[in-house]
Amino acid sequence: MAITLLNPSGLPQIDAYRQVSVASGSRLVFVAGQVSWDAEGVTVGEGDLAAQVERCYLNVATALAEAGATLADLAKLTVYVVDWTPDKMPLLMEGIARAAAVLGGAPVPPATLIGVAALDVPEHLVEVEATAVID
């Protein structure tokens, strides 16, 4: 495996992600920000943050698979949420849990959550971009 995930002592122990990823692989995979579109470009879960998060993570997994990578190869995630407030965290985590149920596990690489005013189209509430490392 090309990625080792760590939670160093002296930093908060966050269950949803690890604080550090160490890459030993030789190929980088950059996944463009994934929104809640299906394969036909139709928005899935309009108005439903959890459903959109789930779809974004499923789309990331699909993109990784095309490059020969899996969730285990993720080195970093960046999640952009429209009009973010901390009370939205349960919906975010619900969406991740739903995706994990489909995918057989949740990705836990270092992650950054960024609140934004808007995304590409008004229906999109979240966007997830990813970086992976493979051998």
Side-chain angles (χ1 to χ4, degrees):
M1 188 155 315
I3 298 290
T4 302
L5 300 175
L6 307 170
N7 256 340
S9 61
L11 294 177
Q13 303 298 301
I14 309 295
D15 290 335
Y17 63 89
R18 301 302 177 262
Q19 297 283 4
V20 176
S21 66
V22 179
S24 61
S26 58
R27 292 180 30 208
L28 295 174
V29 178
F30 297 97
V31 178
Q34 295 299 303
V35 294
S36 62
W37 277 332
D38 65 13
E40 287 76 40
V42 175
T43 298
V44 174
E46 189 170 336
D48 182 343
L49 180 60
Q52 288 198 19
V53 168
E54 176 185 8
R55 186 61 196 208
C56 289
Y57 275 74
L58 295 175
N59 288 351
V60 166
T62 298
L64 289 171
E66 185 68 20
T70 70
L71 297 178
D73 299 309
L74 284 171
K76 177 76 168 71
L77 289 171
T78 304
V79 180
Y80 303 90
V81 181
V82 174
D83 297 326
W84 173 257
T85 55
D87 64 313
K88 293 182 180 179
M89 185 60 81
L91 293 172
L92 180 74
M93 298 309 293
E94 178 186 334
I96 293 170
R98 289 166 151 182
V102 173
L103 298 169
V108 293
T112 300
L113 174 63
I114 301 171
V116 297
L119 291 170
D120 59 336
V121 297
E123 294 81 19
H124 293 160
L125 304 175
V126 62
E127 184 169 336
V128 179
E129 68 179 17
T131 302
V133 179
I134 54 180
D135 291 319

